[in-house]
Amino acid sequence: MLSLIPVFLLALSAHASLLAVQSPRYTVTGAKGSEVQAEPVSLAQKPSSPVALHGKETLKLTFQIVDKETGKGVQPHQTFLRFYDEKTNEEGIQPVRVTPGGKAKFELNLSKPPLSLPPTPDRDPLKVTLFIGSSVYDPLSVELFDLILPASQPAPAHPQELTFHPLPEIKHTFRPENKQPPRLISAVSVGIVFAPWVVLLGLWSQVAPRPSHLFSPSILPFILSLGAFETLLFRYWIGLKLGQVLLYGAILAIPTIFTGKQALSSIANHRLGRK
């Protein structure tokens, strides 16, 4: 429990470490250095009218960063000005140099504008925000004013910009379902398929031996080999490949030929003996 007290006190001290911006002021000077406009910046309420720059005028912004409790100047680790166009979502970040005493000064010279400044082809106002970051103090964000700059060239289009745009919707065209043939054609096709079986059964009735003779040692191996062929075809329908069927069929063909020859000889001899 005692070990948690220093952590709790450290958390309170970190929460109490706040920064403040004092005496923010902007000055607009002309091309010859004459002062065009100079006003303090209100941090309580954002100015209603934006700051406008014309020609080659220069914007100077000064302020001081202090500890909110002690009032002493503080040099934070990072200080930036963000210029943001709410219409185009373009933004530019400019670092601000701060002295050890917390005094900061930033100049925006339109004769040599920074490359990170967002383009303003339509002279839309840029939202100027001050960001301050430090590992000792809480971060601070202050909205200063809106800035209107002279018209500039539009932002160049990226060569791969079209790649990131949404593509047209892919619409699938499915093939229509197959039409069923007329019942008459289906019946004729079934008759053609079963016709050879009718002929086979008719011929078999003429030459078939008695049922007891089918299980004789000379005929039973042939019947088993035919059953093996039927099983092979069934397995091919379930999952075998054509190459496997041809291989196994070639192996089964050898005993089937010999057993078939022996079965036919036995049937022929049986019929001749019966006559």
Side-chain angles (χ1 to χ4, degrees):
M1 183 66 181
L2 294 177
S3 61
L4 296 178
I5 296 178
V7 178
F8 178 72
L9 294 177
L10 179 61
L12 288 179
S13 61
H15 181 72
S17 301
L18 299 176
L19 294 174
V21 178
Q22 287 186 350
S23 306
R25 183 182 180 87
Y26 74 87
T27 303
V28 178
T29 57
K32 297 182 179 180
S34 59
E35 186 175 296
V36 178
Q37 184 181 5
E39 292 184 9
V41 179
S42 175
L43 301 179
Q45 184 178 3
K46 185 178 177 180
S48 58
S49 58
V51 179
L53 297 183
H54 305 279
K56 295 183 179 181
E57 295 178 341
T58 301
L59 173 67
K60 295 182 181 180
L61 178 64
T62 58
F63 56 89
Q64 185 178 13
I65 304 173
V66 298
D67 190 308
K68 194 171 184 179
E69 289 187 354
T70 63
K72 294 183 179 179
V74 175
Q75 185 182 31
H77 293 85
Q78 293 180 341
T79 305
F80 297 97
L81 282 176
R82 182 196 187 209
F83 300 88
Y84 175 65
D85 190 343
E86 295 180 332
K87 185 176 180 181
T88 61
N89 289 330
E90 295 284 346
E91 68 173 0
I93 303 296
Q94 285 296 122
V96 179
R97 182 176 298 178
V98 182
T99 64
K103 293 184 178 181
K105 181 180 179 181
F106 173 79
E107 290 189 5
L108 178 60
N109 190 354
L110 293 185
S111 60
K112 296 180 180 179
L115 297 177
S116 61
L117 200 65
T120 55
D122 301 326
R123 297 203 64 187
D124 294 320
L126 301 178
K127 186 178 179 181
V128 182
T129 307
L130 175 64
F131 290 97
I132 302 174
S134 175
S135 61
V136 182
Y137 296 87
D138 290 343
L140 181 62
S141 173
V142 180
E143 293 187 8
L144 300 178
F145 48 80
D146 290 341
L147 179 64
I148 296 179
L149 298 177
S152 65
Q153 296 293 332
H158 195 274
Q160 297 182 352
E161 181 181 2
L162 297 177
T163 308
F164 300 95
H165 289 186
L167 298 177
E169 181 182 359
I170 299 177
K171 297 182 179 180
H172 297 278
T173 302
F174 296 95
R175 187 178 60 182
E177 296 183 0
N178 296 329
K179 295 182 179 180
Q180 297 293 337
R183 293 185 177 181
L184 178 60
I185 297 180
S186 299
V188 172
S189 300
V190 172
I192 294 174
V193 171
F194 284 100
W197 290 96
V198 175
V199 176
L200 179 63
L201 291 176
L203 296 176
W204 177 258
S205 63
Q206 299 295 325
V207 299
R210 295 189 303 272
S212 59
H213 189 65
L214 293 176
F215 298 98
S216 64
S218 59
I219 299 178
L220 183 60
F222 178 64
I223 296 176
L224 294 177
S225 62
L226 293 179
F229 263 107
E230 295 294 333
T231 305
L232 178 63
L233 295 177
F234 178 74
R235 291 291 302 170
Y236 171 64
W237 183 63
I238 293 178
L240 288 180
K241 296 181 179 180
L242 181 60
Q244 295 174 323
V245 174
L246 295 178
L247 176 62
Y248 300 151
I251 296 175
L252 286 175
I254 298 175
T256 302
I257 293 174
F258 288 103
T259 57
K261 183 178 181 181
Q262 184 179 0
L264 291 175
S265 299
S266 177
I267 293 173
N269 294 332
H270 178 74
R271 290 184 64 83
L272 291 174
R274 189 171 58 182
K275 290 181 178 180

